[in-house]
Amino acid sequence: MKNYVKAGSLAALCLLCACAQTAQGKLRQAVYDTASAYHLLASPMPDIMAGHVPGVSLSAGQKALARKASQSVLDELSALEQSIQAGNTLAETAVAALQADFAAFSTCWSGLTAGSTPAACTLAMTASTATTATQANAAVSVSTNGKE
């Protein structure tokens, strides 16, 4: 069942990416699609973290890993959505970083709920630190919208 949700999320993400016509439109659509897939995958997190889902039990360490992986995706989504709302140009690298962090979160969360701790969980934490620094640098160059 868990693999079907993950596959469905990724399939929806791939299918919706073809909707936009311009390069910026496609990047914006990719952000929206990733946000939708993230929210679909993360929707049971509160119940699982609270121990309300029978058969799924996470240790404190696993919960911390899940929170950090989830937060890295949320931080990137927030920054990119703010850029979109401000009318700034999106960088392909920022959108690619978001998608990579979502993929790591997806693998991490699916593994944790299945009873294991995948390497993607610890890699997501390492990558999110590097991505946040890269994103901060990109936000400075993007926020000027080509005007200096």
Side-chain angles (χ1 to χ4, degrees), residues 1-7 9-10 41-42 44-45 48 56 58 62 66 69 102-118 120-121:
M1 177 69 178
K2 294 170 190 153
N3 289 335
Y4 295 119
V5 171
K6 181 179 173 183
S9 298
L10 293 175
L41 184 63
M45 273 185 85
I48 291 173
V56 180
L58 300 179
Q62 289 174 320
F102 171 73
F105 167 71
S106 178
T107 301
C108 177
W109 184 240
S110 296
L112 289 173
T113 57
S116 66
T117 304
C121 292

Side-chain angles (χ1 to χ4, degrees), residues 28-74:
R28 287 185 176 108
Q29 190 63 48
V31 171
Y32 297 141
D33 295 343
T34 304
S36 294
Y38 166 78
H39 291 298
L40 179 67
L41 184 63
S43 63
M45 273 185 85
D47 289 333
I48 291 173
M49 295 290 212
H52 298 305
V53 177
V56 180
S57 178
L58 300 179
S59 69
Q62 289 174 320
K63 288 178 184 178
L65 288 172
R67 282 186 190 106
K68 287 185 186 275
S70 176
Q71 191 62 49
S72 69
V73 175
L74 283 174

Side-chain angles (χ1 to χ4, degrees), residues 78-112:
S78 175
L80 288 169
E81 287 172 346
Q82 287 175 357
S83 290
I84 290 170
Q85 289 176 354
N88 296 334
T89 302
L90 297 180
E92 286 182 39
T93 54
V95 176
L98 167 66
Q99 291 174 331
D101 275 358
F102 171 73
F105 167 71
S106 178
T107 301
C108 177
W109 184 240
S110 296
L112 289 173

